[in-house]
Amino acid sequence: MKQFGTIFRFEFLNYLKNKVFVGVTLFLMAAIVIVMFSPRAAGLLEQGREPEKSEKPVMLLAADSSLSGRMDDVLASFADAFSDYDVRLTDGDPAGIREQILSGEAECAFVLRDISSYTYYVDDLALYDMNTSEADEILGRMARRDALIGKGLSGSEADQILSLAIEHDTERLGQDQAQNFFYTYIMIFALYMVILFYGQMVATHVASEKSSRAMELLITSAKPVSLMFGKVIASCLAGLLQLVCVFGSAFLCFQVNRSYWSGNEIIRSIFDMPLHLLAYMFLFFILGFLIYAFMYGAVGSTVSKLEDINTAVMPITLVFIAAFLVVVSSMSSGDVDNIWMKVCSYVPFTSPMAMFTRIAMSTVPWYAIVVSVLILLGSAVGTGVISAGIYRRGVLMYGAAPKIGAVLKKGR
């Protein structure tokens, strides 16, 4: 235990003294502070300025002569629906309308052939241009009103039928996937990045110590288990500390500027994350990190040259990327309880992300969570012990990268 404590303190302090580690952490914190205070800064800059008169973009509205008697009603309906536009009537000359749009005098135009048919003119069609959907709703309502009047109803009776509102109540018994999606995705992505970054760092540190022959002295003065667990747990704590600093600064900045983010539901949902989900995130982060860091460290001990690290750890990285893709695709589909996710929830290499996602976006029985955590905990300890054995044999083998079978047989 004394050896473990010495190695742990040495490795952890190395992270705190590492200029890259400290620099990246401070950079991320500064970037978050700037982003979170940007609405407040924008508000302060606007104070004292006279509000500029913003001109609304022009929307042209034209129709066939058969609708000339109804254009006042059409114009009023379009003006109400498109309040962000300056809706204007124009003649139905397509050439003139195209010229006005291309010259920038108008942004778009609707040319009605009849109450249920039109052409929409626009220069650059934006990705989220919903004008045609809004126009379909307006004209569809007018067409339905005409049909009801044609059946003998008065205009007021037709309007009453068309404006009938449906009331409903929703009683949520489980999770709200729409509300939980954004912070679940951010937590999964943070877990993905930190495990890959620090796992690679563990492998690189082990390989660099081996290449400098310092490991030959360390391996004779300390137990391999103490060396491996000290290095991995120190890197885990460093990664956890970095996450706490980054997300902690983001949370504090959000609380200070909460009123300025009141209109952004995505940001608010991220920072209103329930505490129990935050606890689950840290639990699965620690256990998942330990498994992958142990494997990265074991593989790093078998490499004699630093330039071979990326090739050696590629299989581990591919497994982790595959797990990430399964989770993200399931989140995007809205079905986080599919058969793949259920299986991945009990596989140690995938359960840190899969089970956390299911907990955040669906209802998972408590015993399923307990089983997943116990499997993950046992796998982390077992992987650590096995990795320590590989580490003890691998650091003393030089030359070409040895096969795993050769490493396990070494020293028997």
Side-chain angles (χ1 to χ4, degrees), residues 210 299 301-304 393-394 397-407:
K210 179 181 177 180
V299 171
S301 68
T302 65
V303 176
S304 300
R393 300 177 178 97
M397 301 180 70
Y398 294 91
K403 295 181 180 181
I404 294 297
V407 174

Side-chain angles (χ1 to χ4, degrees), residues 74-87:
V74 175
L75 176 63
S77 298
F78 271 72
D80 289 340
F82 296 100
S83 58
D84 294 335
Y85 285 90
D86 179 9
V87 184

Side-chain angles (χ1 to χ4, degrees), residues 6-214:
T6 302
I7 295 167
F8 170 78
R9 285 192 299 272
F10 175 78
E11 294 288 342
F12 183 66
L13 290 176
N14 275 345
Y15 280 105
L16 299 184
K17 296 176 183 177
N18 188 300
K19 293 181 180 179
V20 175
F21 175 82
V22 175
V24 169
T25 304
L26 293 178
F27 172 78
L28 292 175
M29 293 175 65
I32 285 175
V33 169
I34 292 173
V35 171
M36 298 309 297
F37 274 87
S38 58
R40 179 186 290 269
L44 292 175
L45 291 175
E46 291 297 326
Q47 289 182 0
R49 293 183 181 178
E50 293 185 3
E52 298 179 357
K53 294 182 179 180
S54 58
E55 296 183 358
K56 295 180 179 180
V58 175
M59 174 186 288
L60 301 178
L61 190 60
D64 186 82
S65 58
S66 60
L67 293 175
S68 58
R70 304 193 57 183
M71 286 311 294
D72 289 340
D73 291 338
V74 175
L75 176 63
S77 298
F78 271 72
D80 289 340
F82 296 100
S83 58
D84 294 335
Y85 285 90
D86 179 9
V87 184
R88 302 177 185 176
L89 286 177
T90 185
D91 59 38
D93 179 22
I97 290 174
R98 292 191 188 98
E99 183 178 349
Q100 291 184 70
I101 293 176
L102 292 175
S103 66
E105 296 178 27
E107 183 175 297
C108 58
F110 286 94
V111 178
L112 280 62
R113 291 184 290 274
D114 53 52
I115 202 64
S116 60
S117 176
Y118 65 85
T119 300
Y120 178 57
Y121 293 88
V122 64
D123 187 4
D124 294 324
L125 185 61
L127 180 62
Y128 297 106
D129 189 333
M130 303 298 294
N131 289 346
T132 53
S133 298
E134 191 69 37
D136 290 348
E137 179 62 28
I138 296 169
L139 297 176
R141 188 177 186 280
M142 296 182 71
R144 290 190 292 271
R145 187 176 187 274
D146 290 349
L148 291 174
I149 293 175
K151 294 294 184 180
L153 276 70
S154 65
S156 59
E157 290 173 333
D159 289 335
Q160 185 178 3
I161 293 174
L162 292 174
S163 61
L164 181 65
I166 305 299
E167 296 181 359
H168 75 277
D169 296 318
T170 300
E171 184 176 346
R172 180 170 58 85
L173 303 179
Q175 300 290 345
D176 185 347
Q177 289 192 359
Q179 180 182 359
N180 298 358
F181 177 86
F182 295 104
Y183 60 69
T184 303
Y185 182 81
I186 288 178
M187 293 302 172
I188 290 297
F189 189 75
L191 180 65
Y192 171 80
M193 294 300 297
V194 170
I195 287 180
L196 281 186
F197 177 75
Y198 282 97
Q200 185 87 7
M201 191 176 291
V202 169
T204 303
H205 283 180
V206 172
S208 62
E209 290 173 347
K210 179 181 177 180
S211 63
S212 66
R213 298 297 179 107

Side-chain angles (χ1 to χ4, degrees), residues 181-346:
F181 177 86
F182 295 104
Y183 60 69
T184 303
Y185 182 81
I186 288 178
M187 293 302 172
I188 290 297
F189 189 75
L191 180 65
Y192 171 80
M193 294 300 297
V194 170
I195 287 180
L196 281 186
F197 177 75
Y198 282 97
Q200 185 87 7
M201 191 176 291
V202 169
T204 303
H205 283 180
V206 172
S208 62
E209 290 173 347
K210 179 181 177 180
S211 63
S212 66
R213 298 297 179 107
M215 195 58 64
E216 295 179 4
L217 179 61
L218 288 173
I219 204 70
T220 58
S221 59
K223 294 180 179 179
V225 173
S226 298
L227 283 169
M228 177 62 78
F229 275 76
K231 287 177 178 294
V232 169
I233 294 178
S235 64
C236 178
L237 186 59
L240 192 59
L241 178 62
Q242 192 173 53
L243 279 180
V244 170
C245 289
V246 172
F247 285 101
S249 61
F251 179 77
L252 291 177
C253 291
F254 173 76
Q255 295 302 323
V256 173
N257 300 283
R258 176 180 282 270
S259 60
Y260 292 89
W261 292 98
S262 58
N264 194 316
E265 292 299 327
I266 295 177
I267 298 294
R268 291 181 64 86
S269 70
I270 292 171
F271 289 99
D272 288 337
M273 180 180 182
L275 289 178
H276 75 279
L277 285 183
L278 193 61
Y280 276 124
M281 194 274 288
F282 282 120
L283 174 63
F284 284 108
F285 164 78
I286 292 172
L287 295 178
F289 182 92
L290 291 176
I291 286 181
Y292 278 96
F294 281 134
M295 291 192 296
Y296 274 111
V299 171
S301 68
T302 65
V303 176
S304 300
K305 296 182 293 185
L306 286 177
E307 52 266 29
D308 294 334
I309 281 289
N310 290 332
T311 303
V313 301
M314 184 60 69
I316 302 174
T317 304
L318 290 177
V319 170
F320 191 61
I321 292 175
F324 177 75
L325 293 177
V326 169
V327 171
V328 171
S329 62
S330 298
M331 289 177 61
S332 301
S333 69
D335 183 14
V336 295
D337 281 326
N338 59 64
I339 186 63
W340 287 106
M341 286 289 284
K342 288 182 178 179
V343 172
C344 289
S345 297
Y346 301 101

